[in-house]
Amino acid sequence: FVCADGTALPLPGVCVDLVWSNLMLQWVNDLPRAFAEFRRVLKVGGLLTFTTFGPDTLREVRRAFARVDGHTHTNRFVDMHDLGDMLVAAGFADPVMDQETVTLTWPSGAALLAELRQLGANVDPHRFAGLRTPRWRRRLAEALEAQAGRDGRPRLAFEVVYGHAFRVAPRPRVAAETAVAVDDMRAMVRAGRRRT
């Protein structure tokens, strides 16, 4: 198991059969770079499997913030179709994507905010950089409570996106001059040996 920056894994190229990422990708600001890094370390035929949050995640929080101050306060969550396109662009094959929405409730807006704060991160580079007042926090809790369901409990939706794809042997483009990475060349040679 490796716990590292998803865009700069401390592993040699073409060395693992499985990359499994659970709720990490929503913290990455450069997803194409992360997928390229996953592909770099996977062996040909290796599997990438992941979960992340989709764009409907924390929609209630975004609506509440819009009522309070209009600033960005949540991460950027990417649509599963765009994730699939990024996988293909990174050289993965047969991406399969699915999603489900999980809704959680809290007894109050303040309790909801306290638990969200424990997550302790907001990687949006455009977020408000200053501190907030207790009055501002109270207004936010009230805006969340105004969206409560019939049970009177504020709620948050989490769109959980599931995906997997396989690393295939590289197919270099033929041109007058073609450049192929050494790791990719090794993978092509190994794949050719297995076929014979």
Side-chain angles (χ1 to χ4, degrees):
F1 289 92
V2 174
C3 181
D5 179 350
T7 62
L9 297 174
L11 298 170
V14 193
C15 68
V16 298
D17 294 309
L18 172 68
V19 172
W20 178 60
S21 170
N22 185 33
L23 295 178
M24 181 274 292
L25 291 173
Q26 69 271 5
W27 305 114
V28 175
N29 279 324
D30 190 351
L31 286 172
R33 184 173 166 198
F35 287 143
E37 184 67 359
F38 295 164
R39 183 184 179 282
R40 181 187 70 79
V41 301
L42 273 171
K43 295 177 183 175
V44 172
L47 175 66
L48 163 64
T49 182
F50 63 89
T51 58
T52 188
F53 290 131
D56 281 344
T57 300
L58 302 181
R59 63 179 175 242
E60 301 86 353
V61 171
R62 286 192 296 279
R63 282 196 297 256
F65 279 127
R67 291 180 64 187
V68 172
D69 68 9
H71 287 283
T72 302
H73 295 273
T74 62
N75 297 7
R76 174 185 61 89
F77 301 110
V78 179
D79 182 77
M80 71 176 181
H81 300 97
D82 295 331
L83 290 168
D85 292 344
M86 288 179 201
L87 287 168
V88 171
F92 285 93
D94 304 324
V96 175
M97 308 298 296
D98 199 3
Q99 68 85 24
E100 69 176 317
T101 300
V102 177
T103 303
L104 304 176
T105 64
W106 284 264
S108 67
L112 183 157
L113 289 173
E115 189 160 338
L116 268 186
R117 187 168 190 191
Q118 288 178 349
L119 291 176
N122 178 340
V123 297
D124 186 334
H126 306 293
R127 69 187 180 275
F128 183 77
L131 298 175
R132 301 300 189 160
T133 65
R135 185 181 68 202
W136 178 91
R137 186 175 169 83
R138 195 170 39 256
R139 284 191 356 240
L140 179 59
E142 290 167 359
L144 287 164
E145 289 169 358
Q147 300 178 62
R150 287 191 176 111
D151 59 2
R153 294 172 62 94
R155 60 192 60 236
L156 287 182
F158 293 85
E159 179 186 354
V160 183
V161 174
Y162 305 93
H164 72 260
F166 293 91
R167 186 198 198 277
V168 293
R171 295 181 193 105
R173 293 186 187 125
V174 178
E177 184 177 315
T178 302
V180 179
V182 173
D183 287 336
D184 289 343
M185 184 62 72
R186 285 185 187 121
M188 287 188 289
V189 169
R190 287 183 191 123
R193 284 186 193 146
R194 280 191 290 259
R195 283 191 211 115
T196 57

